[in-house]
Amino acid sequence: MVGRITVMAIGAAGVAVAGLSVASATVWRPDDVLRASVDTSSKYVVTAPGVVEMGGRPTTITVTAQNKAPVVVAVGRDTDVTSWVGDDPHETISGMASWSTLRLLTPEEGAASANKPADPPAEPDPDAPEAKADDANPAGSDMWVAEASGAGRAELKRWAAHSDYSGRWSALVANPTGAPMQIEFAWPRSVSTPWLIPGLVLGLGAIAWAAFSEARRRGTLTFGLRGSDDDDSTGVPDEMTTPRTRREARAAVRSDPVPAVVAAPVTSVDDAEPDSDWQTAAFAPGTASAERQTAWSDSRRGRSRHVADPGIEPDV
């Protein structure tokens, strides 16, 4: 039989496994939306080509500025965004520094990255307008395929490039007043919980096995054989189902003596019943054995009569 410590250890392990599986699907479950943000005070921030869609599609861009400063978020082809910004100082979002932080390059770093031979700058669009002067506002320009603006907050919801649009895309965030702001990108993602069902099955199974083993060890698992206290369904007296101690057994033997067996008296051999069939056949009337038995019985009667009555003298 499995020891009690082993049963308790398996039960505790089952509770731990079930709890961890539930936690993996609730507390430790990753968010359905991947969010990454960065803080800046630059008037203009652009994204490198591919950053807008690097986390998936569609993309939501949210800009929050202090003091309800006006902000604009726009998405267009990378050549259009580069042409609009021109030589104005701006910062560049080149990717993600971590799962929750965007990598932001200063104007000098952004220019050095743009001049790398492996990633040459895109050729400007001849149809694009000239660069804007200082504190220019890109709101309302026909260069953008999507745009959002507001006072203190602007959100471009669930943008995704249409199949009819070709080219590389970049985002432009304009904050003409230079107020501190936060830029956040959000992408939906599919999150699975592969350990929930196996963990629950394994954990609950271990708990059930431990409970069954403990109940069987204590003797409380009867499967309905004993019945209830009020209704004895078995019909067996309690004294027959309850084991006795040695002292109780000896006391019961002393109080219940074995009854004596008294056999019925046999007055004569003739009254005795034969023990078996061969005796019946041997002493049947007319046989020699029967005659000898009769003579022997008569002699026994005479002897008994003489012994019983001493005044009668026996015939010589």
Side-chain angles (χ1 to χ4, degrees):
M1 181 180 294
V2 182
R4 183 179 183 183
I5 296 178
T6 303
V7 172
M8 294 177 61
I10 294 177
V15 173
V17 171
L20 291 175
S21 63
V22 173
S24 67
T26 55
V27 180
W28 297 335
R29 183 178 183 271
D31 195 356
D32 293 334
V33 179
L34 176 60
R35 302 178 185 274
S37 61
V38 67
D39 296 331
T40 181
S41 299
S42 177
K43 292 184 178 181
Y44 304 108
V45 178
V46 299
T47 63
V51 172
V52 176
E53 299 168 307
M54 67 178 177
R57 298 180 181 181
T59 306
T60 299
I61 305 174
T62 304
V63 180
T64 304
Q66 296 181 4
N67 302 325
K68 294 185 178 181
V71 290
V72 178
V73 182
V75 176
R77 288 184 173 87
D78 60 336
T79 54
D80 294 340
V81 172
T82 303
S83 298
W84 192 93
V85 174
D87 296 332
D88 291 345
H90 63 276
E91 295 180 338
T92 304
I93 298 176
S94 61
M96 296 180 64
S98 65
W99 285 105
S100 59
T101 306
L102 296 171
R103 180 184 294 110
L104 188 65
L105 303 180
T106 61
E108 294 76 11
E109 294 173 342
S113 176
N115 292 329
K116 288 182 180 180
D119 189 12
E123 296 181 359
D125 189 352
D127 298 333
E130 296 180 357
K132 304 297 180 181
D134 293 342
D135 300 339
N137 192 337
S141 175
D142 58 357
M143 301 172 62
W144 321 129
V145 295
E147 179 188 335
S149 59
R153 189 175 188 274
E155 184 178 19
L156 184 62
K157 296 182 178 179
R158 302 181 63 84
W159 179 85
H162 196 272
S163 59
D164 295 338
Y165 297 156
S166 61
R168 301 188 303 175
W169 306 97
S170 294
L172 168 65
V173 177
N175 176 20
T177 62
M181 64 178 177
Q182 182 185 65
I183 304 172
E184 181 186 73
F185 282 70
W187 302 275
R189 59 178 175 175
S190 178
V191 179
S192 61
T193 55
W195 299 106
L196 176 60
I197 301 302
L200 284 178
V201 172
L202 183 61
L204 295 179
I207 294 172
W209 181 87
F212 176 83
S213 299
E214 182 65 15
R216 186 176 60 179
R217 188 188 67 82
R218 294 187 178 184
T220 58
L221 197 63
T222 60
F223 296 101
L225 296 179
R226 292 185 180 180
S228 62
D229 297 338
D230 300 334
D231 183 13
D232 189 2
S233 58
T234 60
V236 180
D238 293 338
E239 59 270 10
M240 296 183 65
T241 59
T242 304
R244 293 181 177 181
T245 62
R246 293 183 179 179
R247 181 177 297 178
E248 292 175 350
R250 290 194 295 267
V253 171
R254 296 191 188 98
S255 61
D256 297 334
V258 179
V261 179
V262 180
V266 178
T267 57
S268 64
V269 177
D270 296 337
D271 296 336
E273 296 181 356
D275 295 337
S276 60
D277 294 340
W278 69 270
Q279 292 180 352
T280 303
F283 292 95
T287 61
S289 299
E291 293 177 358
R292 288 195 299 271
Q293 178 67 20
T294 302
W296 183 80
S297 299
D298 292 341
S299 65
R300 293 285 296 175
R301 289 193 186 94
R303 185 180 301 174
S304 300
R305 185 168 53 254
H306 296 321
V307 174
D309 191 358
I312 300 177
E313 296 181 358
D315 294 337
V316 179

